[in-house]
Amino acid sequence: MTLHGLDERERALVRFARRLVATPSLSGEEHQVARLVASELRRLGYRNVTVDRAGNVLGSLGPGRARLMFNGHLDHVPPAGMLDPYDARIELSERPGGSAPVLRGRGSCDMKANVAAGVYAAAFLEPETKLQAAFVFTADVQEETDSPAGVRALLAEGLRADYGISGEATELGVAVGHRGKAQFDVIVAGRASHASTPELGSNAVFRAVPFLRALEQAQAGLGDDPLFGPATLTVTRIESQPHGDVAVVPSACVIRVDRRYLPGESAESAHRELQAIVAQTAERERVPARVELVDDYPLMSTPLDDPVVAAGRDAVAAVMGESPTMRTWRFGVNATFMNAAGIPSIGIGAGDESCAHTDEEHVDVDQLVASSRIYAELIRRLCT
């Protein structure tokens, strides 16, 4: 498909985004796409470009201390039934009032298009732009599996900047955070026996049913926030112990719980609430059970009056001609770790997060181009 109306820089950006989408990079298998990103950074004039052993890519633009840090991730989830996930084709998508070109493929929205846009921010800086501080580009690995090998490792090694920008999809709105995600295991006890004599045991999977009902009912009592949305609680996995193809009545049933929490809450407060629900159910049913905290993906909240929020809002307005929507993400992003490291961060990115991980994953080409121009405008405002 011919992309009418794009200049050569914009066409080069789209070509590069397509190359990234066409290159498979499941979590832990990012080295090939990392080399592509590093090569393009060098071609566009970034300095100190490196790819570490894990596959994380870094590069700097401009002299002096790091003023602005961009972050994106290189990995994507499995194709999961998506047809031709790596064909990276441009196709027309019907919209109210007409059609528009989109880049389709696994990882296009989440988030290779915006990684490409971050790389190409240098191309959209005018030649006379003189940077007084550095723009640091980072693209990390294994974000989809919540691995510490990515941005958390870079931050642990001392990487810092005054401000941060995440390229995760926001439809070009300015995101200031997201809910926290705490994962728990509710472990319901049973008694094992041979499966041929179940009456001699006590099946933990059957005994878990009242706990599942209690967890489902708990959602109704959770809070809401005008910016961050609702707190949520859901079950994401059930596993018997022992598991596998064995003829054993389960001695335990493990229920994985995903709890999204709001400002004013924490993993600890969510833990206490869940313990109370499980304890009440255990007492009523006379079934032993306990709760264990598995992981805490911390809440991200950048104050609306932080200078980076104003800079992001102004950069979007300068490129798009209108003020952006102020919003939060529904999912978690790496910028939460940047905030925790003392780098106040926002998010601006092409694409609709609701199509991430779906079989219709795509990103609008016009948003892709605009996002790169917005990053360039943000660099101009913060690094000159």
Side-chain angles (χ1 to χ4, degrees):
M1 174 181 294
T2 302
L3 296 173
H4 297 289
L6 298 186
D7 66 27
E8 182 48 42
R9 291 176 298 179
E10 294 167 338
R11 290 175 184 273
L13 164 60
V14 174
R15 288 194 298 269
F16 181 59
R18 294 184 70 184
R19 287 181 68 196
L20 297 186
V21 175
T23 306
S25 55
L26 292 166
S27 298
E29 302 174 12
E30 300 96 340
H31 279 86
Q32 184 178 357
V33 78
R35 288 192 290 270
L36 289 176
V37 170
S39 176
E40 199 72 357
L41 288 171
R42 294 186 184 100
R43 192 186 71 78
L44 290 169
Y46 287 79
R47 59 185 176 83
N48 301 326
V49 177
T50 61
V51 179
D52 68 15
R53 292 182 64 181
N56 299 305
V57 183
L58 289 88
S60 295
L61 198 67
R65 61 174 294 164
R67 180 70 166 164
L68 177 64
M69 171 181 166
F70 172 91
N71 176 255
H73 64 85
L74 297 171
D75 60 327
H76 58 75
V77 297
M82 187 178 196
L83 298 177
D84 302 319
Y86 306 118
D87 64 353
R89 69 174 178 266
I90 303 293
E91 61 185 24
L92 285 177
S93 177
E94 295 301 322
R95 307 292 168 79
S99 59
V102 300
L103 169 58
R104 182 188 178 280
R106 177 56 83 225
S108 54
C109 176
D110 189 14
M111 59 169 298
K112 289 180 175 179
N114 289 316
V115 168
V119 170
Y120 265 75
F124 292 106
L125 288 171
E126 298 306 320
E128 65 273 14
T129 303
K130 301 298 182 183
L131 301 185
Q132 303 301 316
F135 168 64
V136 178
F137 172 93
T138 66
D140 68 324
V141 299
Q142 301 180 50
E143 186 270 353
E144 297 290 2
T145 57
D146 292 343
S147 169
V151 73
R152 280 181 276 183
L154 299 179
L155 294 168
E157 292 167 2
L159 179 64
R160 292 294 184 274
D162 294 335
Y163 301 111
I165 173 74
S166 167
E168 293 274 13
T170 67
E171 295 186 281
L172 305 184
V174 177
V176 295
H178 56 73
R179 299 167 300 171
K181 179 181 77 172
Q183 290 182 303
F184 302 95
D185 279 345
V186 176
I187 304 166
V188 181
R191 187 174 68 254
S193 71
H194 198 287
S196 66
T197 55
E199 71 278 5
L200 300 180
S202 185
N203 195 309
V205 174
F206 294 152
R207 299 178 89 182
V209 171
F211 293 90
L212 291 168
R213 291 198 185 104
L215 292 170
E216 184 179 24
Q217 293 164 2
Q219 175 65 49
L222 299 180
D224 204 343
D225 183 274
L227 183 58
F228 285 77
T232 59
L233 184 154
T234 194
V235 171
T236 58
R237 188 174 74 200
I238 300 177
E239 182 178 275
S240 62
Q241 292 181 349
H243 63 274
D245 191 18
V246 291
V248 179
V249 169
S251 60
C253 181
V254 182
I255 305 168
R256 176 61 56 85
V257 175
D258 182 299
R259 170 70 155 87
R260 304 295 166 125
Y261 61 86
L262 302 173
E265 299 182 304
S266 65
E268 291 75 20
S269 67
H271 195 179
R272 290 191 297 270
E273 291 174 2
L274 188 56
Q275 284 176 318
I277 293 167
V278 170
Q280 291 167 6
T281 307
E283 182 177 7
R284 183 179 68 248
E285 302 294 330
R286 298 184 178 181
V287 174
R290 68 184 191 276
V291 181
E292 294 181 357
L293 175 64
V294 176
D295 188 34
D296 177 22
Y297 197 100
L299 178 143
M300 174 186 168
S301 181
T302 301
L304 292 174
D305 61 357
D306 192 280
V308 73
V309 177
R313 188 170 53 236
D314 292 346
V316 174
V319 172
M320 303 302 295
E322 58 184 15
S323 295
T325 301
M326 303 303 298
R327 54 162 294 174
T328 57
W329 287 286
R330 293 286 289 174
F331 52 41
V333 305
N334 275 339
T336 191
F337 302 111
M338 294 155 64
N339 263 22
I343 307 171
S345 301
I346 57 172
I348 302 169
D352 180 351
E353 66 177 302
S354 67
C355 81
H357 299 191
T358 72
D359 59 3
E360 296 297 328
E361 185 174 0
H362 66 275
V363 66
D364 288 16
V365 169
D366 59 350
Q367 286 192 17
L368 163 60
V369 171
S371 66
S372 195
R373 289 189 173 276
I374 290 166
Y375 300 151
E377 179 65 18
L378 198 56
I379 293 169
R380 190 186 68 78
R381 289 174 179 270
L382 292 177
C383 299
T384 58

